[in-house]
Amino acid sequence: MQSQVVATLGRQTWLDRPTYRLEHALTFAFALFGRNRERVANAMHGTWLGHPLHPALTSLPTGAVATSLALDAASALPGRAEAFRGASRTALTVGIIGSLGALASGVTDWQHTHQESRRIGLVHGVANLVATALYLSSWRDRRRGRHVRGIAASAFGYGITLASGYLGGALVYGSGVGVDRSGAVLTVDRWTPVLPVTALNGRPQRVEVDGVGVVICQNDGQVLAVGEHCPHLGAPMCDGWIDDGRLVCPWHGSRFACPSGEVLRGPATAALPSYPTRIRDGVVEVRGKNSPAVKAVAK
């Protein structure tokens, strides 16, 4: 039943128009940061963490609001109502602040999704926005002494948060959003010839070593070997290019340092696998580690 709901949401093509408009609004919003645009985007993606920031931030409002509801239940105890109500409002405040942070990081990641994932992500985000609005309403009611109304609003909002969390889980586990999509890692522990140096024509070249795709390219005369797919959404890095010493993803513009594969610009957060290379007798050789089998086929 739940999977059918997710699949149905993914087929709602009428959601495409509002997603395009929201994407344009986000592009304009990030442009307002000027030269700091890339730095802000990297912070929101979680490039500095090595994994997406959004999942980490979502745990804060979820836990804080759950704590608030638990304190609401405890406020029914005789003689401790005021103390528990104050603590509950404080926990709810933390939840609201956390919700705003999760929203900012979430839309930053969302703008680089496509088709079904983008539609489901839009519903996920709108649901969280509605839940946050209910938390704000609850906080205001509590401050004005309308505690029962405030408790009802936050409880309803938390139910929406849980339903939205299911959609978020479907995006991660079903569509692989935020998951390292770089694929299999080369573990061959011997130098393996892959292609002649003369085959490098200024563009990345895909080869296969022991069944693992590897992309070979040149930067300032140095030969590099990296993973076949971008860690973000699996873009083919053989379609990418090198710009100012950085390997660029062809789909969303993630940039990786040459030759380490370190992420320099999101939306990717995981490093691109990088392998040692050498040239012998005019042939590029690649090595991984810890695997006895070697088989290379140039393509």
Side-chain angles (χ1 to χ4, degrees):
M1 176 63 180
Q2 292 92 340
S3 59
Q4 292 178 356
V5 171
V6 174
T8 300
L9 288 176
R11 291 193 297 266
Q12 302 306 304
T13 57
W14 62 271
L15 291 173
D16 290 342
R17 179 173 292 183
T19 64
Y20 296 146
R21 291 178 177 176
L22 178 56
E23 181 184 10
H24 294 157
L26 290 172
T27 300
F28 176 76
F30 276 104
L32 295 177
F33 290 101
R35 290 181 296 179
N36 293 317
R37 174 182 178 179
E38 184 174 310
R39 184 178 301 175
V40 172
N42 281 346
M44 289 293 97
H45 285 307
T47 299
W48 53 281
L49 270 179
H51 63 76
L53 177 64
H54 180 63
L57 289 183
T58 57
S59 62
L60 178 60
T62 303
V65 177
T67 301
S68 176
L69 293 175
L71 291 169
D72 287 337
S75 68
L77 296 174
R80 300 297 302 273
E82 285 303 317
F84 281 121
R85 285 173 179 174
S88 177
R89 189 169 61 248
T90 300
L92 185 61
T93 302
V94 174
I96 293 170
I97 295 172
S99 294
L100 296 176
L103 176 64
S105 60
V107 295
T108 303
D109 291 341
W110 170 86
Q111 66 180 323
H112 299 294
T113 58
H114 303 281
Q115 298 179 338
E116 290 86 356
S117 296
R118 172 165 287 209
R119 297 163 194 153
I120 296 169
L122 179 66
V123 177
H124 168 71
V126 169
N128 281 330
L129 193 61
V130 171
T132 302
L134 287 169
Y135 297 152
L136 286 167
S137 176
S138 173
W139 186 90
R140 182 186 60 189
D141 287 336
R142 292 164 187 264
R143 188 175 179 84
R144 295 178 178 178
R146 298 194 289 259
H147 299 293
V148 174
R149 181 173 172 177
I151 291 171
S154 58
F156 186 41
Y158 191 66
I160 294 176
T161 294
L162 293 179
S164 175
Y166 176 82
L167 295 180
L171 289 171
V172 174
Y173 299 109
S175 303
V177 176
V179 177
D180 186 346
R181 303 280 289 275
S182 55
V185 177
L186 182 64
T187 57
V188 172
D189 60 358
R190 294 168 48 191
W191 288 107
T192 306
V194 289
L195 81 173
V197 176
T198 54
L200 296 174
N201 56 6
R203 292 190 58 82
Q205 303 287 322
R206 181 191 182 278
V207 299
E208 192 169 304
V209 181
D210 197 34
V212 177
V214 178
V215 173
I216 309 295
C217 51
Q218 275 185 315
N219 177 50
D220 292 335
Q222 182 181 14
V223 178
L224 312 173
V226 298
E228 178 182 13
H229 300 290
C230 175
H232 177 228
L233 285 179
M237 294 306 295
C238 58
D239 292 337
W241 61 91
I242 293 179
D243 178 33
D244 194 23
R246 304 191 292 182
L247 186 58
V248 184
C249 169
W251 285 2
H252 303 113
S254 295
R255 283 168 163 76
F256 304 92
C258 296
S260 68
E262 175 188 0
V263 183
L264 300 178
R265 173 183 170 184
T269 56
L272 183 66
S274 178
Y275 308 109
T277 63
R278 73 179 184 183
I279 299 174
R280 294 192 66 180
D281 300 325
V283 176
V284 177
E285 296 183 349
V286 179
R287 182 177 69 183
K289 55 184 177 181
N290 302 330
S291 176
V294 180
K295 182 180 179 181
V297 179
K299 291 188 176 182

